[in-house]
C-alpha cells in the first residue's frame, strides 16, 4: 500500500515529522499507527489493531507485510546500532545514513 506510493522529498519529510498531518490517506495513517505501535510497543498489539487495518481494506497479506517490514527494520536498527557503537556504521558526509523510525513506512 504505502510502498506503491511515490512521495516527493518535502512530503516524505512531513511524514517523518508528523504523519497524522502529512496529507496521507486514512488507510496510510492507519498503517503508520499500527507500524509505530508494533515498533514501540509490540506487546500491546491486540486483535482490534488488526481489525482496524482490515477496516481500511487491508488484506491479511498486506498486514503481514507491515508486520514483517517493522520487524526487519527494528532488528536492523538494533544490529546496526551495535555495529555503530563500534564505529563500523556507514556514514555519508559525516552523517549517519540510517533514518529515523518513522521513515520506514514509505516502503
Amino acid at each position: 500500500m504505502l510502498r506503491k506510493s511515490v512521495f516527493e522529498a518535502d512530503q516524505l519529510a512531513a511524514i517523518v515529522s508528523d504523519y497524522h498531518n502529512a496529507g496521507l490517506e486514512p488507510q496510510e495513517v492507519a498503517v503508520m499507527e499500527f507500524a509505530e505501535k508494533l515498533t514501540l510497543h509490540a506487546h500491546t498489539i491486540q486483535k482490534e489493531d488488526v481489525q482496524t487495518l482490515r477496516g481500511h481494506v487491508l488484506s491479511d497479506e498486506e498486514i503481514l507485510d507491515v508486520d514483517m517490514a517493522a520487524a526487519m527494520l527494528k532488528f536492523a536498527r538494533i544490529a546496526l546500532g551495535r555495529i555503530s557503537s563500534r564505529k563500523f556504521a556507514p556514514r555519508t558526509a559525516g552523517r549517519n545514513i540510517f533514518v529515523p523510525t518513522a521513515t520506514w513506512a514509505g516502503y
Side-chain angles (χ1 to χ4, degrees), residues 1 8 14 18 29 35-36 43 60 86 90-91 107:
M1 192 254 342
E8 296 294 327
D18 179 10
V29 172
E36 180 176 47
H43 64 284
D60 286 346
R86 295 184 190 134
R91 296 191 175 270
Y107 283 79

Side-chain angles (χ1 to χ4, degrees), residues 2 9 12 18 28 35 39 49 51 61 71 78 89 91 94 98 107:
L2 282 173
L12 189 55
D18 179 10
E28 294 170 322
T39 301
D49 298 308
Q51 291 300 347
E61 182 179 331
I78 291 167
R91 296 191 175 270
F98 303 109
Y107 283 79

